[in-house]
Amino acid sequence: MFQISGDVFRALGLKMKILMAVIFGGLLIGSVILLSFPHSFSDQLLDAKSNDQLLAATINGSSESKTPHDKLIGGLLTADFDEPSCVSRYYQSSLYRKPSPYKPSEYLVSKLRSYEKLHKRCGPGTEAYKEATKNLGHDDDNYANKSVGECKYAVWVAVYGLGNRILTLASVFLYALLTERVVLVDQSKDISDLFCEPFPGTSWLLPNDFPLVKQFDGYGRGDSHCYGTMLNNHAISANSTPRHIYLDILHDSRDEDKMFFCPKDQTMIDKVPWLVIKTNVYFVPSLWFSPTFRPELMKLFPQKEAVFHHLARYLFHPTNQVWGMVTRYYKAHLARADERLGIQIRVFDDNAGYFQHVMDQILSCTQREKLLPQVVTQEESKVNASTNQKLKAVLVTSLYPEYADRLKSMFWERPSSTGEIIEVYQPSGERVQQTDTKIHDQKALAEMYLLSLTDNIVTSARSTFGYVAHSLGGLKPWLLYQPKDFKAPDPPCIRSTSIDPCHLTPPSHGCDADWGTYSGKVVPFVRECEDREHDGIKLFDEL
């Protein structure tokens, strides 16, 4: 910029001096504005991330972030995605919750990178996929002798509610990882409205023109392609490989269908190019019984109880619409709290709704375990008024709003015994589960993620919704026992020592001669679920 000497400047008239001052001042202000104005959407996104990081630092107990943000979660995620297309992918956990004590193994990270290459090579639209599907819709007795290429597939079909679907999709993916199959996802439901694509440069959505799509609804145990039925009819053997089989891995599957978990059966199943799987149970714990799978699983997951925790953070990234619901609600109601408690309530009853014995059980559990304080009179509260003014936010998720309303009224009408300020929130209370209704499922997913961001969590026995929430967050829950005869159980709940979800109604362990052994007593780290009586198994690290 040019300069003006002192003599010349003094020679100028007053009006000229004022004019030049205005010009130079305008240039200076304009430069500052141009330097500070975001030049693109990317800059705005970075500003938003900075705000989120500041929020995260506050949540984690410091005014400044002392460690860099681990957006790849120890290598669990790949950096190959465009961030704005799925904001939750790199900011879904560490910006809103404390760092997880569960770290992915280097072997798991390596295995995931290898899987991504396999999916890209064999996924929809590739020559390998076209070759594999070419003759799939036609009956052919000599199919076993025909080449179908290098790729094998596991097709997950969506059944039951959202919690079941998330747990089972993680289970099918792990099975695909162990058997070098490509997992493809039935998109006839609303999966693409809930989650972003998890694998770079390809899609996990099963194309709508897949030859067997129209048969999915009809698949059942009576179908000739059902594995258990094929065993009964001697229609499958090591020397007779069908083009595809249907696997029925449900809570009430027959013993023949549960032979899926046996090594000898896995040898036959491994040769089948296409597996179509319907399941409503988290069957990961039962995979550890297989002598074939167990060594690989132990290398992948040294911390055994963290299997779903790692798989969920790798696979399930809420779409921008769902993530917007999560972050807006969190910032509005939970961010400023000193502590956050999640309470998930599922009532298993034909005429479910508000029950006083369930409310009594929730209060008994939370107050007995010091998760919520008692309420006292105004006079009694004066003792603690100046010693503890912490704010505790309580997030309640339930189909029924009465439980949260009761808690809200209780802490509004009377002070707490500890002096804490208790604020109770419930995002929705729709009374009726509306699976496959887009906005209902999106709200349900948002609430699972919100629960996973709490510091402590209480969940209902047998609830897959609760299993997803606490395991995703790496939280060891207080599990509410299932009431009997409309009475609150005593004790009301138990603290789990594992974050793993429960495999409800698992197969009796054993194949051939030792069939019938109770699964919870075979492998030391696969034991009975605390909230079930001989009706579920889960993974534990603490022996």
Side-chain angles (χ1 to χ4, degrees):
M1 193 174 287
F2 64 89
Q3 295 181 340
I4 301 175
S5 69
D7 292 338
V8 173
F9 189 77
R10 283 190 293 271
L12 293 172
L14 178 61
K15 290 183 179 180
M16 183 61 71
K17 291 177 182 178
I18 293 173
L19 177 60
M20 292 184 66
V22 171
I23 292 171
F24 280 110
L27 289 172
L28 180 61
I29 293 170
S31 300
V32 171
I33 291 173
L34 286 171
L35 287 170
S36 62
F37 189 79
H39 295 287
S40 67
F41 176 76
S42 297
D43 292 331
Q44 295 173 16
L45 184 65
L46 288 172
D47 290 342
K49 291 173 187 174
S50 298
N51 291 335
D52 280 348
Q53 287 167 338
L54 181 60
L55 172 65
T58 304
I59 292 167
N60 294 334
S62 65
S63 59
E64 295 183 8
S65 180
K66 297 180 181 178
T67 57
H69 167 50
D70 179 19
K71 72 175 187 178
L72 301 183
I73 319 179
L76 194 67
L77 304 180
T78 175
D80 294 343
F81 282 98
D82 171 47
E83 294 186 20
S85 65
C86 185
V87 178
S88 71
R89 189 187 314 277
Y90 300 123
Y91 298 91
Q92 66 167 304
S93 57
S94 55
L95 287 186
Y96 288 87
R97 67 168 66 96
K98 295 175 182 178
S100 172
Y102 302 93
K103 308 302 179 186
S105 68
E106 291 183 6
Y107 187 67
L108 174 60
V109 170
S110 172
K111 194 81 172 179
L112 292 174
R113 298 295 86 82
S114 297
Y115 175 83
E116 289 161 5
K117 293 176 183 177
L118 174 67
H119 199 110
K120 199 169 184 178
R121 190 169 69 248
C122 299
T126 63
E127 289 302 317
Y129 174 84
K130 293 174 185 176
E131 178 68 21
T133 57
K134 188 164 57 178
N135 298 311
L136 188 57
H138 305 284
D139 290 329
D140 188 341
D141 293 336
N142 297 317
Y143 182 77
N145 299 322
K146 290 188 175 181
S147 171
V148 293
E150 59 171 330
C151 305
K152 298 181 298 181
Y153 300 85
V155 177
W156 172 87
V157 179
V159 290
Y160 289 79
L162 183 58
N164 297 82
R165 293 180 183 184
I166 293 173
L167 291 173
T168 59
L169 183 46
S171 302
V172 171
F173 174 73
L174 178 57
Y175 176 71
L177 199 67
L178 292 170
T179 56
E180 297 185 339
R181 289 181 179 272
V182 172
V183 67
L184 295 176
V185 175
D186 167 27
Q187 61 170 317
S188 62
K189 309 304 181 188
D190 54 12
I191 192 78
S192 60
D193 296 317
L194 300 173
F195 299 111
C196 306
E197 292 277 4
F199 314 126
T202 184
S203 176
W204 69 342
L205 298 177
L206 183 73
N208 289 323
D209 61 356
F210 179 66
L212 304 178
V213 163
K214 293 181 179 178
Q215 300 179 40
F216 286 171
D217 289 341
Y219 278 132
R221 287 157 210 171
D223 193 279
S224 61
H225 293 97
C226 179
Y227 183 67
T229 300
M230 295 182 85
L231 286 179
N232 288 336
N233 296 339
H234 305 289
I236 186 172
S237 68
N239 299 319
S240 176
T241 305
R243 61 172 53 82
H244 79 278
I245 58 174
Y246 160 62
L247 294 170
D248 185 282
I249 311 175
L250 300 172
H251 65 283
D252 57 351
S253 294
R254 303 166 297 181
D255 286 345
E256 295 88 346
D257 296 298
K258 293 178 180 180
M259 297 297 283
F260 163 80
F261 295 99
C262 297
K264 182 179 69 175
D265 295 77
Q266 277 299 318
T267 300
M268 288 192 293
I269 292 170
D270 188 58
K271 297 178 181 179
V272 180
W274 288 92
L275 307 180
V276 178
I277 306 172
K278 285 185 182 179
T279 175
N280 67 339
V281 291
Y282 173 71
F283 60 79
V284 166
S286 293
L287 294 175
W288 290 72
F289 292 130
S290 168
T292 305
F293 295 149
R294 194 183 309 142
E296 182 79 351
L297 286 166
M298 295 190 73
K299 287 170 63 179
L300 289 167
F301 304 102
Q303 294 172 296
K304 301 173 188 65
E305 66 179 292
V307 177
F308 179 79
H309 180 62
H310 291 319
L311 294 180
R313 293 185 302 159
Y314 173 73
L315 287 174
F316 303 122
H317 311 292
T319 60
N320 286 352
Q321 184 175 357
V322 175
W323 189 241
M325 294 180 186
V326 174
T327 55
R328 285 191 297 274
Y329 199 89
Y330 189 95
K331 291 173 183 177
H333 302 295
L334 305 179
R336 62 190 179 88
D338 298 296
E339 186 179 340
R340 288 157 286 274
L341 171 66
I343 303 177
Q344 180 265 335
I345 305 166
R346 175 66 191 272
V347 179
F348 291 95
D349 190 273
D350 292 338
N351 298 307
Y354 177 81
F355 293 113
Q356 187 58 46
H357 68 274
V358 175
M359 189 71 238
D360 293 341
Q361 180 184 8
I362 293 164
L363 287 173
S364 177
C365 173
T366 54
Q367 293 178 340
R368 174 176 172 162
E369 300 297 330
K370 310 298 183 186
L371 298 170
L372 284 178
Q374 303 276 348
V375 292
V376 295
T377 65
Q378 195 65 41
E379 290 301 316
E380 292 173 309
S381 73
K382 291 180 180 179
V383 177
N384 296 312
S386 61
T387 60
N388 189 350
Q389 282 292 302
K390 287 202 310 180
L391 172 61
K392 177 176 286 189
V394 182
L395 177 73
V396 178
T397 65
S398 173
L399 287 173
Y400 311 101
E402 291 87 352
Y403 297 101
D405 290 344
R406 170 72 191 279
L407 282 173
K408 194 179 299 183
S409 297
M410 190 173 80
F411 287 107
W412 180 47
E413 293 167 1
R414 297 172 65 185
S416 69
S417 59
T418 58
E420 293 173 288
I421 305 300
I422 309 297
E423 294 185 353
V424 181
Y425 303 100
Q426 180 170 347
S428 70
E430 303 194 358
R431 299 195 177 276
V432 178
Q433 185 170 326
Q434 303 168 49
T435 301
D436 294 333
T437 301
K438 175 182 172 180
I439 189 62
H440 177 88
D441 283 348
Q442 287 181 324
K443 287 179 181 178
L445 180 60
E447 290 184 12
M448 287 182 194
Y449 269 82
L450 284 166
L451 282 172
S452 79
L453 301 176
T454 57
D455 301 301
N456 292 302
I457 190 169
V458 177
T459 64
S460 298
R462 282 182 55 206
S463 173
T464 55
F465 190 111
Y467 291 159
V468 170
H470 76 68
S471 190
L472 176 64
L475 301 168
K476 294 183 177 179
W478 280 266
L479 296 164
L480 295 165
Y481 289 114
Q482 190 167 349
K484 296 179 180 178
D485 301 322
F486 295 94
K487 295 179 181 177
D490 186 20
C493 60
I494 184 172
R495 179 76 185 275
S496 178
T497 58
S498 168
I499 68 170
D500 194 49
C502 181
H503 178 180
L504 299 168
T505 62
S508 297
H509 179 70
C511 299
D512 301 324
D514 57 347
W515 183 263
T517 305
Y518 176 57
S519 298
K521 296 183 178 180
V522 177
V523 180
F525 49 81
V526 181
R527 304 204 308 276
E528 186 174 298
C529 304
E530 301 100 327
D531 54 331
R532 306 298 299 149
E533 294 180 5
H534 301 293
D535 189 26
I537 54 174
K538 63 191 288 187
L539 291 159
F540 290 83
D541 279 319
E542 299 177 21
L543 302 181

